[in-house]
Amino acid sequence: MNIRVKLYRSQLYPTISYGSTFGTMFYNSFVFKSLPAGNQLKNNLYQQVFFRISVPIYNRSVVKNSLSQNAVLRKQLLNNLSGERLQRNNQLKNYIINWRSNYKMYNSNASICIAMKGALNDAEINFKNGKINYSELHDVRARYLSSEREKIRSMYNCYFHKFLVNNLISNL
C-alpha cells in the first residue's frame, strides 16, 4: 500500500503521545532575593511528565477527501507516465525512420558521386583532346562538387539521426 495512503488512514485512529521535561529556572526574574547558586537550583528545579490523547471526531471527511485526492493524483501521474512513454516511442520511431531514409539517401548520393567522378574524368580527357571547351568542363566539375557536397550532407544527417536514436535508446 502506498505510504501516503497509510498516512491519511492513520488520521482516522486515535493517537497517544507522551513526554517529559526537566529543567531549572535559574536566573528567574520572579525571584527577588539574591540567593546562592546551589539554593537557586534547589528552589527553581522543575520536572514535567505528560500524556496526550487525541481522538479524531470530525476529520473523517477530511481523510476521505485526502484519500480521493490521492487516488486522482495517482491516476494523473500514471496517465502522464504512459503519455510520456507513448511520446518517447513515437519520437524513437521518427528518429529511426529519418535515420533509415538518410542512410538510403547517403547510399544514393555515394553512387551518384561515383558516376559524377567518372563523368569528370571523361570530361577532363575530352578537354585535353579538345572535344569540349573549358565552360563545359567547369559545368561537369561543378556538378561533381555538388554531388560530393550532397553526399557529405547526407552522411552527416545519417550519423546525426543515428546518434539521436542511440541517445534516446540509452536514456530509456
Side-chain angles (χ1 to χ4, degrees), residues 116 136 138-148:
M116 290 305 295
E136 292 170 332
H138 180 71
D139 286 345
V140 172
R141 186 175 292 140
R143 279 185 260 149
Y144 167 70
L145 291 175
S146 176
S147 69
E148 191 72 34

Side-chain angles (χ1 to χ4, degrees), residues 2-165:
N2 192 356
I3 293 174
R4 186 172 283 169
V5 172
K6 287 182 181 180
L7 285 173
Y8 289 143
R9 286 193 178 157
S10 70
Q11 294 174 4
L12 293 172
Y13 305 112
T15 58
I16 298 174
S17 59
Y18 60 91
S20 65
T21 59
F22 178 79
T24 179
M25 294 191 304
F26 191 72
Y27 300 116
N28 189 351
S29 61
F30 296 114
V31 177
F32 295 110
K33 46 187 171 173
S34 152
L35 295 174
N39 289 341
Q40 280 234 2
L41 282 174
K42 280 192 224 170
N43 293 339
N44 294 319
L45 201 59
Y46 69 90
Q47 303 130 1
Q48 288 180 334
V49 176
F50 61 88
F51 290 94
R52 184 178 307 138
I53 298 175
S54 173
V55 179
I57 298 173
Y58 296 110
N59 66 346
R60 278 206 187 279
S61 62
V62 172
V63 172
K64 185 178 176 182
N65 289 339
S66 297
L67 287 172
S68 64
Q69 285 178 349
N70 187 33
V72 168
L73 287 174
R74 187 177 182 138
K75 286 179 183 176
Q76 285 178 346
L77 288 175
L78 289 174
N79 287 339
N80 289 345
L81 184 63
S82 64
E84 280 185 19
R85 284 184 188 146
L86 183 63
Q87 183 180 8
R88 187 171 277 184
N89 286 340
N90 288 339
Q91 190 177 25
L92 180 62
K93 287 176 187 176
N94 287 336
Y95 287 164
I96 290 172
I97 288 169
N98 288 336
W99 171 51
R100 287 179 180 166
S101 67
N102 283 316
Y103 183 73
K104 289 177 184 176
M105 184 73 74
Y106 169 72
N107 286 334
S108 172
N109 286 334
S111 60
I112 289 172
C113 194
I114 291 170
M116 290 305 295
K117 180 68 174 170
L120 179 63
N121 289 339
D122 291 343
E124 287 174 346
I125 291 171
N126 288 337
F127 178 73
K128 286 180 185 176
N129 293 336
K131 293 181 181 177
I132 62 171
N133 60 18
Y134 182 76
S135 176
E136 292 170 332
L137 176 65
H138 180 71
D139 286 345
V140 172
R141 186 175 292 140
R143 279 185 260 149
Y144 167 70
L145 291 175
S146 176
S147 69
E148 191 72 34
R149 184 180 64 239
E150 288 301 316
K151 181 183 92 168
I152 291 170
R153 182 180 293 149
S154 61
M155 180 178 65
Y156 168 77
N157 286 337
C158 180
Y159 283 132
F160 178 71
H161 282 92
K162 183 174 172 82
F163 168 76
L164 290 176
V165 167

